[in-house]
């Protein structure tokens, strides 16, 4: 019996604070953290001779305020959310997949390759393209899965190492006209670029209140709800959680780590790959304008991973976090006009993530203090 | 027998020098739980002091106060005439108080000498450490290779490393916390001889913490008995007798056999209801061999049959393959060769959950390792193995799950805040009841119980023992794996002994010969 | 056939070895520090950020003083600043080490890019020292003993790292912490403190690596100067099976592969393959040897007292 669970059992008079008080603590800490991150960013801007206020205004204008901008932000948030959902599923199985950036790139490449290989009418092609993206990401994550479950290579390391390999593989494909490279007429003088997706093969972008965004947004939201439900209420989700929390208990109870872990990793990869395909066919300008180019994944994989981790691996919580991170990205385009280097948004994002890591960490320490107050008894 | 009446005379009245260490009025509270309540304790040079008590009586907390890991709320610690309100590990070390830990403090991939050097200060001088180990080896007859990897050593040898580690600091006060659980009876006897040596030859003060009456009575000069954080009795060992010690420890008359067994009082042979030797074999293991990745044998051609309604006790020193045997029957370790059959049907040992599906229920040795999921609720823990009863087309019916769980909580008398309480909020005994409830609810054909009562209090032990007997009476084939010989003698119809990953001997309970079992456990009787 | 001729041609030129040594020097500095941290049980994805920070702060130091010595000191501090965030957040605040590492990589990249536009430090290569006699050894003499002088730091850092881990009490405790933190804790070793110290050491050597980058290899600063080589350093530690010898071998092997891109520029060799090589080789190595090579048992597992 470990020190902790005795402690947990024997503390009737030092019960944790009430739910409301706890919620207050959380909100308070998150508010302070965000303020600190923004203040540090402001100091950085001011210290280098810039002006903070217009930067902030530009961020708000660029992400939500100006006409059409929140649609743009949603369009960027959708792939982040898809990636994050994949992280959630693998994490629930106790697997640390950090290679979404690569899985996303491979997914996009698969989408491009199969879309142009098969051709065909619009709607069908869009479906094929998305499925191919998911397949590509799943296979790439599957490589890490095979290494993990058949060769004992930790998936943390293999998924990480495979990121660069994926980027290079896509770059290679973009130099071969038999794979991804567009023909000369289409690419002009660019030498590593795919064919542009024909207009009727693109994802629809319905217009709502003057904002247009690809239907990926709806797909991502539906998937978020579906995954949240599956993890919480289905037998499959229950067994997956069991695996994540105690692999040996799960093994005895008939949850094979190979089988469930492999599926979880590949779902994670599939969602990242789907994000890549959706970026290619969804048409935010920053994602290559319906063309695959080197560096196409544009850190969406890394950011999606951060989204999931900041959301503490919960599918529904990832929705607002993804939106916030996407807003920083779409806002950054407007920051350049203020004369302050637009990289400041990378800084803000980094500081925000660090800041958002603090409340759980502080809470953890506080909880441990409370537990420690009663710990070590009778051991 | 009021606590605190010891001044300059020992408990047996002989005049003694001033105590090496004296605790007075030490109190430690954790929330509403009082782990130590106004405890007085005097330790003298050249004497072995036994501290006896059940799990949770406050023995370990008291030891932690002595080595500076716990800061008491009240009371004083007097060492060599100097009074302290608390110690920290540095001060404890400076005052030459050292502990041989119950849970090993060794790092397996490091060598013996590196482990011995761990936790000291000053520049690292490998040769000086080796030389000092050599001296200790000569002095106490604790043979060991200083350059061996600790991970390659047996449990007995690892404890030897712990002792060397402790003695290397030339302690004036040595604390032994439950030292015999990993030893054969012979090794235990040897250990106590060494204790005598250390004490008599060098005038060290020794504390032996134990929940076993036999060893405390055999090895100590005086005994302090603790119950619920309080010292309830203190007496010289010469005046102690087992029944009264047991009564003091438990707080009431000890009549039940399994209670005596739990306290380490060797039960006299008695007649266990004979079972029909012709009853059918349910669990049959043939030539079972397991190797780890490095090729080390973990099971070595083990053969074993368990019949319906029979309790077979597997005796042996820990680390002789019992764990692998239980793991194998939990589908956690695949066989290299050999087979396992349940009612004549061979079961795959490499497929997840195959054993469980075939009707093998398991109470694992370490329930946190493979028995429960601490982060999940009680209801979820009760449906870990079988979700079919509480789900519909792949979706869990929460109401049904709660309902089923409530019934099981009632049937097995689990003390908790309801089915949604998290598993970690339960005490060890209640967690064990949850495991038991789940495993028995699936109508098992075989029940594997590995160290089922370890760390539990007497009441829980009695409960678990009754359940095991009841399961056998209903025709379940029960395999009881225990390092407590008394427990096996109390429950089993038939006893097998494991040594070096094989079964080296077998006898019916009625014909059990303690001496022979002891020899078999060391491998000598083969 | 042409391929083998090209390889032969390359391996008989001094320049090949000089370029490879430059690539290897950076990797060796970063990897020997990362090796120490991994022996203590932490994987610092933020090595990348530590290198970049070391390079940038080193560049600022050089910009102000025009002294390579100051630049090296500033670089070490730059690396340790990032190490302090990684260490304090992951091993005091119990935040996930990968999250912190990833975030730092993004953050430092942003900060470096942002400040580089605002400050634009001026950097030059340090002067070359030819070590007498040794630098005259054919083929490898110039590569190993005819470099800008901060190159020779690697001859100090590598043995020092080994000595630290295997010959000091600190190193013994470090290894105990990486293998069995629970036992180390019982032995009154502050597990998280040792891990933090190991991360600081990674920051120190990576900061030196950053200074190496600007003073020995490139001679200027921009934010993409590191370009993923922190990850390659991590790969080298894994490739080396958590031994220092293997780690250095990995660095040399990967550096050779990377330098081919420059050496082979006249030939048609697949540059994507070359760039992927360190990662492919590491993955392959792990797949083949994973069962024989044993990582520190507690690698990447946070330690909280009382929890398994």
């Amino acid at each position: 019996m470990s020190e902790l669970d005795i402690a947990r059992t024997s503390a009737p008079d030092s019960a944790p604070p009430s739910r409301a008080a706890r919620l207050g603590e959380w909100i308070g800490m998150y508010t302070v953290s965000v303020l600190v991150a923004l203040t540090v960013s402001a100091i950085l801007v001011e210290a280098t001779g810039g002006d903070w206020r217009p930067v902030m205004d530009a961020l708000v204008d660029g992400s939500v305020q100006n006409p059409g901008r929140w649609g743009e932000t949603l369009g960027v948030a959708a792939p982040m959310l898809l990636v994050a959902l994949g992280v959630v599923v693998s994490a629930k199985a106790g697997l640390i997949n950090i290679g979404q950036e690569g899985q996303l790139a491979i997914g996009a490449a698969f989408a491009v390759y199969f879309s142009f290989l098969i051709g065909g009418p619009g709607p069908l092609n869009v479906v094929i393209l998305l499925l191919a993206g998911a397949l590509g990401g799943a296979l790439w994550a599957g490589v890490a899965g095979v290494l993990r479950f058949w060769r004992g290579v930790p998936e943390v390391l293999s998924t990480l190492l495979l990121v660069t390999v994926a980027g290079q593989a896509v770059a290679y494909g973009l130099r071969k006209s038999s794979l991804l490279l567009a023909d000369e007429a289409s690419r002009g003088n660019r030498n590593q670029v795919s064919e542009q997706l024909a207009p009727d093969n693109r994802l629809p972008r319905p217009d709502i209140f003057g904002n247009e965004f690809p239907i990926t947004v709806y797909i991502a939201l539906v998937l978020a709800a579906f995954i949240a439900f599956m993890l919480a209420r289905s037998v499959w989700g229950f067994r997956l959680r069991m695996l994540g929390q105690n692999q040996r208990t799960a093994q005895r109870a008939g949850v094979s780590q190979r089988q469930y872990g492999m599926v979880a990793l590949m779902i994670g990869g599939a969602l990242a790959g789907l994000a890549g395909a959706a970026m290619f066919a969804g048409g935010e300008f920053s994602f290559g304008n319906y063309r695959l180019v080197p560096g196409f994944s544009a850190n969406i994989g890394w950011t999606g991973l951060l989204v999931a981790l900041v959301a503490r691996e919960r599918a529904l919580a990832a929705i607002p976090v993804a939106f916030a991170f996407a807003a920083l990205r779409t806002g950054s385009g407007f920051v350049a006009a203020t004369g302050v280097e637009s990289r400041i948004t990378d800084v803000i994002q980094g500081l925000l993530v660090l800041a958002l890591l603090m409340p759980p960490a502080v809470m953890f320490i506080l909880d441990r203090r409370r537990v420690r107050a009663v710990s070590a008894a009778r051991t | 027998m009021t606590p605190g009446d010891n001044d300059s005379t020992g408990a047996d009245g002989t005049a003694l020098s001033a105590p090496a260490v004296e605790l007075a009025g030490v109190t430690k509270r954790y929330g509403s739980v009082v782990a130590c309540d106004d405890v007085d304790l005097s330790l003298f040079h050249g004497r072995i002091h036994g501290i006896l008590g059940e799990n949770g009586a406050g023995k370990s907390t008291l030891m932690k106060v002595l080595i500076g890991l716990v800061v008491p709320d009240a009371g004083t610690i007097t060492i060599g005439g100097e009074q302290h309100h608390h110690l920290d590990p540095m001060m404890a070390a400076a005052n030459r108080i050292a502990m041989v830990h119950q849970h090993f403090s060794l790092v397996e991939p490091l060598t013996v000498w590196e482990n011995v050097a761990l936790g000291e200060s000053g520049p690292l001088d490998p040769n000086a450490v080796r030389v000092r180990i050599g001296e200790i080896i000569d002095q106490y007859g604790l043979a060991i290779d200083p350059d061996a990897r600790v991970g390659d050593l047996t449990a007995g040898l690892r404890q030897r490393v712990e002792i060397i580690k402790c003695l290397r600091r030339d302690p004036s006060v040595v604390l032994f916390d439950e030292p015999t659980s990993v030893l054969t009876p012979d090794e235990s006897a040897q250990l106590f001889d060494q204790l005598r040596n250390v004490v008599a030859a060098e005038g060290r003060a020794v504390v032996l913490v134990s929940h076993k009456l036999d060893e405390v009575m055999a090895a100590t000069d005086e005994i302090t008995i603790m119950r619920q954080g309080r010292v309830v009795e203190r007496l010289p060992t010469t005046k102690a007798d087992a029944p009264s010690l047991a009564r003091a420890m438990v707080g009431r008359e000890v009549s039940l056999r399994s209670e005596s067994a739990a306290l380490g009082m060797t039960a006299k042979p008695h007649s266990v209801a004979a079972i029909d030797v012709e009853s059918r074999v349910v669990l049959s293991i043939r030539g079972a061999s397991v190797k780890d990745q490095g090729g080390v044998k973990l099971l070595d051609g083990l053969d074993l049959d368990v019949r319906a309604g029979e309790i077979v006790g597997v005796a042996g020193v820990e680390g002789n393959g019992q764990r692998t045997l239980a793991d194998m029957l939990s589908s956690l370790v695949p066989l290299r060769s050999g087979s396992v059959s349940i009612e004549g049907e061979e079961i795959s040992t490499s497929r997840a959950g195959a054993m469980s599906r075939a009707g093998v229920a398991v109470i694992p040795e370490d329930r946190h390792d493979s028995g429960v999921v601490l982060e999940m609720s009680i209801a979820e823990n009760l449906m870990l193995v079988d979700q079919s009863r509480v789900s519909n087309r792949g979706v869990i019916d929460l109401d049904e799950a709660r309902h089923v769980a409530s019934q099981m909580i009632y049937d097995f008398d689990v003390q908790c805040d309801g089915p949604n309480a998290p598993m970690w909020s339960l005490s060890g005994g209640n967690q064990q009841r949850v495991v038991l409830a789940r495993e028995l609810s699936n109508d098992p054909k075989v029940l594997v119980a590995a160290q089922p009562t370890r760390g539990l209090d007497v009441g829980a032990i009695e409960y678990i023992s009754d359940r095991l007997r009841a399961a056998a009476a209903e025709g379940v084939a029960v395999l009881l794996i225990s390092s407590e010989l008394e427990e096996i003698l109390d429950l089993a119809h038939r006893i097998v002994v494991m040594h070096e990953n094989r079964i080296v001997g077998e006898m019916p309970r009625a014909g059990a010969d303690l001496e022979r079992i002891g020899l078999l456990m060391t491998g000598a009787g083969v | 056939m042409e391929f083998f001729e090209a390889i032969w041609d390359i391996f008989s030129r001094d320049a090949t070895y000089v370029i490879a040594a430059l690539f290897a020097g950076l990797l060796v500095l970063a990897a020997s520090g990362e090796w120490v941290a991994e022996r203590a049980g932490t994987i610092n994805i933020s090595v990348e950020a530590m290198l970049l920070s070391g390079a940038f702060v080193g560049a600022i130091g050089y910009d102000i003083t025009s002294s390579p010595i100051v630049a090296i000191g500033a670089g070490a501090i730059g690396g340790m600043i990032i190490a302090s965030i990684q260490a304090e957040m992951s091993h005091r605040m119990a935040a996930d080490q990968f999250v912190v590492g990833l975030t730092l990589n993004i953050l430092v990249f942003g900060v470096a890019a942002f400040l580089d536009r605002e400050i634009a430090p001026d950097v030059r290569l340090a002067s070359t020292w030819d070590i007498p006699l040794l630098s005259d050894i054919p083929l490898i003499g110039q590569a190993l003993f005819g470099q800008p002088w901060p190159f020779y730091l690697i001859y100090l850092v590598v043995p020092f790292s080994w000595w630290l881990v295997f010959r000091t009490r600190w190193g013994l405790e470090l290894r105990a912490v990486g293998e069995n933190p629970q036992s180390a804790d019982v032995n009154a070793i502050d597990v998280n403190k040792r891990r933090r110290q190991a991360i600081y050491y990674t920051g120190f050597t990576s900061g030196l690596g950053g200074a190496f980058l600007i003073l020995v290899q490139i001679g200027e600063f921009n934010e993409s100067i590191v370009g993923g080589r922190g990850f390659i350093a991590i790969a080298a530690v894994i490739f080396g099976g958590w031994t220092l010898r293997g780690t250095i071998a990995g660095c040399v092997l990967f550096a050779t592969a990377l330098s081919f891109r420059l050496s082979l520029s006249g030939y048609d060799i697949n540059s994507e393959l070359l760039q992927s090589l360190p990662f492919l080789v590491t993955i392959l190595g792990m797949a083949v040897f994973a069962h024989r090579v044993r990582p520190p048992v507690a690698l990447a597992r946070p330690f909280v007292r009382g929890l398994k």
Side-chain angles (χ1 to χ4, degrees):
Chain A
M1 187 157 167
S2 78
E3 178 187 335
L4 197 67
D5 57 313
I6 293 179
R8 281 157 161 171
T9 61
S10 55
D13 69 345
S14 60
S18 73
R19 209 169 261 264
R22 270 187 85 87
L23 191 65
E25 273 179 12
W26 277 110
I27 292 173
M29 270 193 287
Y30 271 116
T31 313
V32 170
S33 305
V34 170
L35 285 180
V36 168
L38 291 178
T39 310
V40 173
S41 311
I43 290 171
L44 194 63
V45 171
E46 298 279 341
T48 51
D51 209 349
W52 172 248
R53 182 160 282 274
V55 171
M56 205 57 208
D57 289 343
L59 274 178
V60 176
D61 286 348
S63 58
V64 289
Q65 188 109 330
N66 279 18
R69 293 309 293 174
W70 60 260
E72 183 80 11
T73 301
L74 280 176
V76 175
M80 286 183 188
L81 178 57
L82 285 172
V83 169
L85 293 174
V87 179
V88 171
V89 172
S90 348
K92 281 286 185 279
L95 296 163
I96 314 175
N97 173 6
I98 57 175
Q100 288 78 12
E101 184 81 2
Q103 291 146 19
L104 186 150
I106 296 290
F110 264 60
V112 172
Y113 182 78
F114 284 100
S115 169
F116 292 120
L117 182 73
I118 294 171
L124 178 67
N125 193 275
V126 168
V127 172
I128 287 172
L129 177 155
L130 292 179
L131 288 179
L135 176 70
L139 289 179
W140 198 250
V143 172
V146 169
L147 288 170
R148 168 74 175 76
F149 297 116
W150 276 269
R151 300 300 313 165
V153 180
E155 76 283 358
V156 185
L157 305 175
S158 58
T159 51
L160 173 69
L161 297 173
L162 283 167
V163 170
T164 314
V165 179
Q168 295 298 332
V170 173
Y172 176 77
L174 283 171
R175 290 205 290 120
K176 298 279 165 196
S177 48
S178 59
L179 296 172
L180 302 169
L181 182 65
D183 60 36
E184 257 180 286
S186 158
R187 68 187 151 101
N189 57 357
R190 302 165 73 184
N191 56 16
Q192 277 189 310
V193 65
S194 79
E195 208 77 56
Q196 190 173 40
L197 196 62
D200 66 339
N201 287 350
R202 298 173 184 174
L203 282 170
R205 295 172 62 90
D207 188 308
I208 292 176
F209 304 123
N211 283 271
E212 64 167 46
F213 46 84
I215 56 164
T216 337
V217 174
Y218 301 109
I219 298 177
L221 287 174
V222 168
L223 279 174
F226 178 69
I227 285 172
F229 174 82
M230 286 299 282
L231 289 176
R233 291 291 307 279
S234 74
V235 169
W236 178 79
F238 174 71
R239 291 164 75 88
L240 199 68
R241 283 186 285 130
M242 199 198 311
L243 175 65
Q245 280 165 339
N246 191 331
Q247 187 245 316
R248 285 170 61 84
T249 300
Q251 166 84 14
R252 187 181 111 64
V255 180
S256 147
Q257 202 197 7
R258 268 187 196 174
Q259 195 185 330
Y260 279 73
M262 201 64 195
V263 167
L265 257 187
M266 289 181 77
I267 289 177
L271 286 163
L274 180 63
M279 282 159 68
F280 170 65
E284 299 309 325
F285 184 75
S286 54
F287 298 151
N289 196 21
Y290 302 105
R291 282 181 193 273
L292 189 64
V293 291
F296 171 84
S297 42
N299 275 340
I300 291 287
W302 293 124
T303 316
L305 174 58
L306 287 179
V307 167
L309 297 170
V310 168
R312 305 183 73 200
E313 289 151 8
R314 279 171 307 195
L316 296 178
I319 297 172
V321 180
F323 187 82
F325 280 30
L328 273 173
R329 224 179 149 98
T330 51
S332 74
F334 279 49
V335 171
T338 64
V340 174
E341 167 60 38
S342 65
R343 296 275 192 197
I344 188 65
T345 52
D346 286 350
V347 179
I348 297 175
Q349 182 186 314
L351 288 173
L352 266 180
V353 175
L354 285 186
L356 293 174
L357 289 177
M358 298 306 269
V362 171
M363 239 6 197
F364 177 79
I365 289 175
L366 284 181
D367 279 352
R368 268 198 74 73
R369 291 244 169 94
R370 284 164 192 155
V371 166
R372 200 176 294 156
V374 295
S375 77
R378 301 184 297 157
T379 55
Chain B
M1 280 310 163
T2 52
D5 62 350
N6 54 338
D7 39 24
S8 59
T9 49
D12 55 359
T14 47
L16 289 169
S17 55
V21 176
E22 191 166 19
L23 301 183
V26 168
T27 300
K28 179 66 189 173
R29 281 189 199 84
Y30 295 104
S32 65
V33 176
V34 187
C36 286
D37 188 0
D38 196 21
V39 174
D40 299 334
L41 183 69
S42 298
L43 307 175
F44 294 91
H45 289 295
R47 298 181 74 84
I48 303 180
H49 194 116
I51 297 184
L52 193 61
E54 288 186 79
N55 278 292
K59 299 170 300 197
S60 291
T61 306
L62 196 63
M63 292 305 105
K64 285 182 182 171
V65 168
L66 266 173
I67 53 171
L69 288 178
V70 164
V71 176
D73 301 324
T76 58
I77 305 147
T78 310
I79 308 171
E82 203 174 323
Q83 208 178 62
H84 307 273
H85 288 286
H86 68 90
L87 300 175
D88 62 39
M90 299 314 220
M91 288 160 67
N95 284 296
R96 294 166 57 214
I97 300 175
M99 173 143 149
V100 176
H101 287 271
Q102 176 181 15
H103 300 295
F104 290 125
S105 68
L106 303 178
V107 180
E108 293 84 0
L110 300 183
T111 63
V112 169
W113 78 260
E114 284 177 320
N115 268 290
V116 170
L118 209 60
E120 297 178 352
S121 50
L124 188 65
D125 183 349
N127 284 327
V129 180
R130 285 200 190 91
V131 168
R132 181 77 183 105
I133 292 175
E135 286 169 15
I136 295 171
I137 289 172
D138 294 343
Q139 199 173 347
Y140 302 101
L142 297 161
I144 203 155
D145 171 12
D147 290 304
R149 258 182 84 249
V150 166
D152 299 335
L153 302 179
T154 63
L157 282 177
R158 287 185 201 198
Q159 190 183 48
R160 197 167 279 189
V161 179
E162 291 274 5
I163 295 173
I164 291 173
K165 211 172 139 171
C166 173
L167 291 176
R168 151 131 164 87
R169 285 159 218 186
D170 190 23
S172 74
V173 180
V174 190
L175 316 175
F176 284 85
D177 192 2
E178 304 275 5
T180 58
S181 64
V182 295
L183 303 181
T184 62
D186 255 9
E187 282 176 319
S188 301
Q190 203 187 339
L191 172 72
F192 293 128
D193 279 351
Q194 285 157 1
L195 276 187
R196 279 276 163 230
N197 264 330
V198 173
V199 175
E202 298 163 21
R204 301 181 205 274
V206 175
V207 178
L208 174 65
V209 175
S210 179
H211 69 282
K212 292 184 183 170
L213 280 175
D214 286 0
E215 63 188 41
V216 169
M217 288 192 44
T220 63
D221 298 310
E222 52 204 328
I223 302 174
T224 294
I225 301 169
M226 293 184 70
R227 190 172 74 233
Q228 293 173 353
R230 256 178 237 119
V231 172
V232 291
E233 193 157 342
R234 173 178 296 125
L235 72 170
T237 309
T238 47
K239 292 186 190 159
D241 69 287
S244 63
L245 286 185
R247 191 169 52 236
M249 215 170 135
V250 180
R252 60 188 154 82
E253 204 64 42
V254 177
S255 55
L256 296 161
R257 182 178 304 281
S258 44
E259 281 188 354
S260 322
L263 301 178
M265 295 163 68
T266 312
K268 292 173 190 63
H270 64 292
S271 56
V272 179
I275 67 138
D276 183 2
V277 286
E278 295 303 314
S279 75
R280 70 209 150 83
V281 171
V282 178
L283 169 68
S284 173
I285 304 175
R286 284 287 164 272
S289 292
V290 175
K291 284 182 185 171
D292 72 3
Q293 281 169 3
V296 177
K297 282 179 179 168
L298 299 176
L299 274 188
D300 185 9
L302 178 139
D303 294 309
L304 184 65
D305 284 333
V306 186
R307 293 167 187 278
E310 183 184 31
I311 301 181
V312 172
V314 179
V317 180
E318 268 181 64
N320 276 288
Q322 299 95 321
R323 204 166 186 145
T324 311
L325 174 61
D327 280 355
M328 190 265 290
L329 291 171
S330 309
S331 304
L332 292 172
V333 179
L335 286 181
R336 274 286 174 95
S337 61
S339 67
V340 178
S341 319
I342 307 292
E343 292 183 333
E345 198 169 320
E346 188 167 336
I347 310 298
S348 159
T349 55
S350 59
R351 191 170 305 143
M355 289 294 166
S356 158
R357 280 192 295 275
V360 182
V362 179
I363 302 169
E365 175 178 338
D366 178 354
R367 59 186 161 269
H368 295 175
D369 175 69
S370 61
V372 300
V373 179
L374 285 173
E375 294 83 356
M376 285 184 166
S377 70
I378 297 173
E380 285 178 311
N381 269 284
L382 285 168
M383 62 186 213
L384 284 181
V385 176
D386 179 12
Q387 298 91 32
S388 61
R389 288 164 66 192
V390 293
S391 64
N392 192 359
R393 281 194 233 144
V395 175
I396 292 167
D397 181 340
L398 293 184
D399 289 333
E400 182 65 16
R402 247 192 313 271
H403 176 74
V404 169
S406 300
Q407 185 62 44
M408 280 155 92
I409 287 171
Y410 175 79
D411 289 346
F412 284 79
D413 194 20
V414 180
Q415 304 293 313
C416 65
D417 296 340
N420 289 335
M423 195 64 180
W424 54 255
S425 68
L426 300 188
S427 70
N430 282 309
Q431 287 181 359
Q432 193 74 320
R433 285 175 198 233
V434 171
V435 174
L436 202 64
R438 181 186 68 220
E439 296 299 321
L440 291 178
S441 69
N442 295 327
D443 291 328
K445 295 174 179 139
V446 178
L447 174 62
V448 179
Q451 320 287 0
T453 59
R454 172 173 294 172
L456 305 184
D457 60 38
V458 169
I461 290 173
E462 184 60 24
Y463 182 84
I464 305 275
S465 303
D466 283 348
R467 282 283 179 174
L468 293 183
R469 283 198 197 89
E474 284 166 21
V476 177
V478 178
L479 187 64
L480 169 69
I481 300 172
S482 177
S483 58
E484 309 257 349
L485 200 47
E486 298 80 9
E487 180 169 59
I488 287 177
L489 292 171
D490 177 44
L491 287 172
H493 300 105
R494 186 154 61 90
I495 299 168
V496 297
V497 181
M498 275 187 90
H499 178 70
E500 289 188 343
N501 313 315
R502 300 184 282 134
I503 286 177
V504 293
E506 178 183 337
M507 68 201 73
R509 171 64 183 91
D513 170 356
L514 276 182
E515 202 165 320
R516 171 140 183 263
I517 295 177
L519 280 174
L520 286 169
M521 281 166 77
T522 61
V526 182
Chain C
M1 217 49 231
E2 193 203 0
F3 176 78
F4 291 106
E5 277 169 35
I7 296 285
W8 172 251
D9 195 23
I10 285 163
F11 276 106
S12 54
R13 271 187 292 162
D14 281 5
T16 308
Y17 296 95
V18 172
I19 298 171
L22 288 174
F23 274 98
L26 169 70
L27 293 180
V28 164
L29 286 172
S32 47
E34 174 65 14
W35 170 72
V36 173
E38 293 205 11
R39 288 302 292 245
T42 316
I43 297 178
N44 293 304
I45 296 198
S46 54
V47 169
E48 183 84 4
M50 294 176 191
L51 281 167
L52 188 57
S53 171
F56 183 70
V57 179
I60 304 252
Y62 191 91
D63 188 53
I64 296 169
T65 63
S66 297
S67 154
I69 296 176
V70 173
I72 289 171
I77 292 171
M80 287 169 78
I81 292 171
I82 303 308
S84 73
I85 302 176
Q86 171 81 54
E88 299 301 317
M89 290 205 61
S90 60
H91 292 91
R92 199 189 289 275
M93 310 296 290
D96 183 277
Q97 54 189 287
F98 297 107
V99 188
V100 177
L102 284 173
T103 313
L104 281 173
N105 287 347
I106 295 172
L107 178 67
V108 173
F109 189 81
V111 173
F114 177 74
L115 290 178
D116 187 37
R117 299 288 183 284
E118 307 287 340
I119 301 174
D122 185 36
V123 183
R124 232 154 282 167
L125 287 180
S127 56
T128 300
W129 287 0
D130 279 327
I131 309 283
L133 295 177
L134 289 176
S135 61
D136 296 333
I137 300 173
L139 291 180
I140 57 167
Q142 276 299 311
L144 296 180
F145 303 106
Q147 299 277 16
W149 67 265
F151 182 87
Y152 306 123
L153 279 175
I154 65 171
Y155 299 126
L156 299 178
V157 168
V158 173
F160 182 69
S161 303
W162 183 87
W163 179 81
L164 263 185
V165 169
F166 288 113
R167 282 292 175 268
T168 65
R169 177 166 303 285
W170 186 78
L172 175 62
E173 297 185 356
L174 198 78
R175 283 180 285 142
V177 160
E179 297 289 357
N180 191 337
Q182 279 74 25
S183 292
D185 186 49
V186 172
N187 282 295
I189 297 166
D190 187 334
V191 173
N192 284 318
K193 186 171 171 188
R194 285 287 169 280
R195 288 184 172 173
R196 289 197 296 273
Q197 290 166 335
I199 296 172
Y200 277 100
Y201 185 73
T202 311
F204 173 74
T205 65
S206 303
L208 292 181
F212 179 99
L213 203 52
I214 54 168
L215 294 172
V216 179
Q217 197 178 3
I218 316 263
E220 61 173 284
F221 179 84
N222 68 65
E223 74 270 12
S224 50
I225 193 172
V226 178
R229 273 181 282 173
F231 291 126
I232 299 181
I234 296 172
V237 177
I238 300 162
F239 173 83
W242 293 273
T243 65
L244 186 56
R245 205 180 309 157
T247 301
I248 303 301
C251 290
V252 172
L253 180 69
F254 297 164
T256 311
L258 288 173
S259 66
F260 273 4
R261 210 155 41 100
L262 295 182
S263 322
L264 286 169
S265 51
Y267 303 90
D268 181 31
I269 300 278
N270 187 331
S271 91
E272 283 86 11
L273 183 65
L274 282 179
Q275 295 211 43
S276 305
L277 211 57
F279 302 98
L280 288 175
V281 170
T282 305
I283 292 170
L284 216 63
M286 282 195 294
V288 175
F289 298 115
H291 288 303
R292 243 174 294 166
V293 176
R294 201 185 47 78
V297 175
L299 185 64
R301 290 195 199 148
F303 173 76
V304 179
R305 185 175 292 148
L307 288 177
K308 267 199 184 166

